[in-house]
Amino acid sequence: MQNTAAKVAMAGSGIAGAVCAATLARNGISVTLFESARGPGGRMSQRREISEDGRELLFDHGAPYFTVANPDVLSVVAEWESRGLVAEWKSNFGSFDCSTNKFVNTEHHKLERETKKYVGMPGMNSICKALCHEPGVESIFNVGIGKFEWLEHENLWSVMGLGGQHLGDFKGVVVSDKNIASPRFTAVTGLPPPLDLSLAPELAQLQNIPIHPCFALMLAFNDPLSSVPAKELSFTNSKVLSRAFCESNKPGRSSTSERWVLHSTTEYAEDMIAQSGLVKPSKETLSKVGNEMLQEFLGTGLSIPQPFFMKAHRWGSAFPAASIAEVEKCVWNEKKKLAICGDFCVSPNVEGAILSGLAAASRFKSLASSL
C-alpha cells in the first residue's frame, strides 16, 4: 500500500489505539491504523442487526458505558463531551438476587448509583470512529496484520497482512491488541502471533495475560419491560448472568423497541469455551448460549415477555485479569520505537485503556524529532 516509510503503524482501533492515534496525529506524527474488523471500536463497537420484520436494531454489545476518575482522562472526556461524542447516562441501577428473586440494596449498590456514567453518542463506537478519522490518521479496515518484521539495518518496521501482502514500512509501531504476541492468537487463527517475542525483552509480559471471557446476549422487545424497575442490573447468585443493560434507555438511542444487552458470568463463559474451544463459536453454540441466558433472565420472576429478536456474541478475551504496566501505563521499547497499550496495561476498563493510549503517545511525542 505504501512505498515510502510512514511514521507510525497502529494495530487495532479500540479505545486505546484510537486515543493514541489521534493524540499522535495532533502532535504532528502521522499514523496508519490497521483494523481487522469492518469498523472501529473493539469492545466499544456497536452491533447493527436487522429483525425478521426489517427493523434496524443497534446494540452496544461490548462496553455498555464507562466511568472516569483520573484527571487526565476527565479532561479528555470533557473535550469529547463538548464535541457531542459522549453524554452522561443517568441509569436507574438495581441489584437482583437470583436465589430469592428479589432486589437487594448494599453500600456498593449505592456507590454504583452515584457514579457518573458516560456513553458514546449515538453509539459507544462514535468516539473511536471520530478519533480514527482525525486529520493525520489514515484508517484501513478489514485488514488484519500477519507479521511485524524489524529491519535492523534500515531501522524500520515492515508490516505484513494476514495474507502475506506488504502493507508498508514504518518508523514506529503501536499495538493495542493483547493477543498480538500470545499463543492465544494461534489458538484462535491457527497462525503464528504477528509479533515475535524475541524482538524485544519487554514482550515476554504479553505471552500469557490471564483473561476473563464473556458472552453478550442482545435482546429486543416490542414493549417496555415495565415490570423491571431498573435500567441497569447486576445479578447475584446466578451462575449464568452477571449484568443487564437497557440499551434503548441511553441518551441518543432509538426507542422504537426496548433493547437489552445481557452479560454472562466469567464462570459460565469459561465452561462454554472449555466445551467448544477458542475457535470462532458455531451458530449452534451461540444459539445454545442465547437460550440459556434468556431462560435465566425469564426465570427472575419479573414477568419478562419473549423477545422478538435475540442473538449472542462471544468476547473470548473480553476482560484482562491482570495489569502488566500499572506504573508505566504502556510497554515501551525505545530502540525499536515499539509501544504496546491497552486496558491490560493499566486497569480492565475504558478509563485504563484511555490512560494507556495517552501514555504510548507520550513516548513517541518525546521522540518526535527522530521520527
Side-chain angles (χ1 to χ4, degrees):
M1 292 182 180
Q2 294 175 195
N3 296 319
T4 58
K7 292 287 177 75
V8 172
M10 172 71 66
S13 67
I15 192 64
V19 164
C20 183
T23 305
L24 288 174
R26 289 184 182 190
N27 285 273
I29 300 172
S30 62
V31 178
T32 302
L33 185 149
F34 298 98
E35 170 58 63
S36 58
R38 290 171 304 194
R43 288 201 319 276
M44 286 183 72
S45 57
Q46 187 181 61
R47 188 76 165 258
R48 179 179 179 269
E49 298 287 348
I50 303 294
S51 66
E52 287 184 359
D53 59 1
R55 279 183 275 182
E56 181 185 63
L57 306 169
L58 299 174
F59 299 92
D60 295 329
H61 64 311
Y65 61 82
F66 64 97
T67 61
V68 181
N70 180 277
D72 292 336
V73 181
L74 278 167
S75 66
V76 170
V77 173
E79 192 241 333
W80 293 345
E81 203 166 9
S82 71
R83 293 168 62 184
L85 296 176
V86 302
E88 183 183 358
W89 179 30
K90 297 178 180 178
S91 67
N92 179 16
F93 176 84
S95 182
F96 191 83
D97 187 338
C98 291
S99 65
T100 61
N101 276 7
K102 290 181 179 178
F103 283 91
V104 293
N105 228 337
T106 67
E107 279 302 310
H108 170 70
H109 303 133
K110 183 183 176 188
L111 183 66
E112 277 270 9
R113 283 192 288 269
E114 292 172 352
T115 302
K116 189 172 183 178
K117 294 163 184 171
Y118 295 94
V119 295
M121 292 284 284
M124 287 300 283
N125 64 342
S126 302
I127 305 165
C128 294
K129 206 181 274 188
L131 297 177
C132 288
H133 291 94
E134 291 211 353
V137 180
E138 179 192 10
S139 293
I140 301 170
F141 299 102
N142 286 311
V143 174
I145 292 176
K147 187 176 182 181
F148 292 98
E149 185 177 356
W150 175 247
L151 308 176
E152 188 74 44
H153 297 297
E154 290 91 343
N155 217 30
L156 292 173
W157 286 96
S158 176
V159 180
M160 307 286 191
L162 283 169
Q165 71 274 36
H166 182 238
L167 299 177
D169 294 332
F170 299 86
K171 294 180 180 179
V173 161
V174 182
V175 174
S176 60
D177 180 356
K178 58 182 167 293
N179 294 327
I180 208 86
S182 165
R184 198 177 290 117
F185 183 90
T186 304
V188 173
T189 66
L191 301 169
L195 202 53
D196 193 316
L197 290 172
S198 65
L199 286 168
E202 297 87 353
L203 296 179
Q205 302 171 80
L206 293 172
Q207 192 164 10
N208 282 301
I209 298 172
I211 54 95
H212 293 317
C214 176
F215 282 95
L217 179 63
M218 297 164 275
L219 300 172
F221 301 88
N222 281 313
D223 299 308
L225 304 190
S226 54
S227 60
V228 182
K231 297 301 183 183
E232 179 195 354
L233 299 170
S234 73
F235 296 96
T236 56
N237 296 312
S238 171
K239 290 185 177 180
V240 179
L241 295 180
S242 64
R243 295 178 80 90
F245 313 92
C246 183
E247 182 66 30
S248 45
N249 180 251
K250 297 177 186 176
R253 272 60 170 179
S254 165
S255 56
T256 52
S257 63
E258 175 130 341
R259 298 177 310 287
W260 284 74
V261 176
L262 313 184
H263 284 184
S264 77
T265 62
T266 299
E267 177 189 12
Y268 176 79
E270 287 175 341
D271 286 347
M272 291 305 302
I273 289 171
Q275 295 172 38
S276 60
L278 275 173
V279 293
K280 185 177 179 181
S282 65
K283 285 184 179 179
E284 292 74 23
T285 296
L286 290 176
S287 177
K288 179 177 187 290
V289 166
N291 284 319
E292 290 177 353
M293 290 178 68
L294 176 62
Q295 288 311 309
E296 187 81 354
F297 196 39
L298 296 177
T300 55
L302 292 171
S303 303
I304 296 166
Q306 284 288 335
F308 70 83
F309 173 89
M310 63 178 278
K311 183 177 267 190
H313 174 85
R314 188 189 76 183
W315 295 103
S317 53
F319 307 105
S323 301
I324 64 173
E326 286 184 78
V327 176
E328 302 87 354
K329 296 185 173 53
C330 68
V331 176
W332 172 243
N333 182 285
E334 187 169 340
K335 181 180 182 295
K336 291 186 169 72
K337 298 182 181 66
L338 169 66
I340 315 289
C341 64
D343 57 359
F344 53 91
C345 289
V346 185
S347 56
N349 48 41
V350 172
E351 181 177 34
I354 295 171
L355 275 170
S356 190
L358 292 172
S362 72
R363 301 298 193 278
F364 281 96
K365 281 156 63 178
S366 66
L367 296 173
S369 59
S370 63
L371 284 170

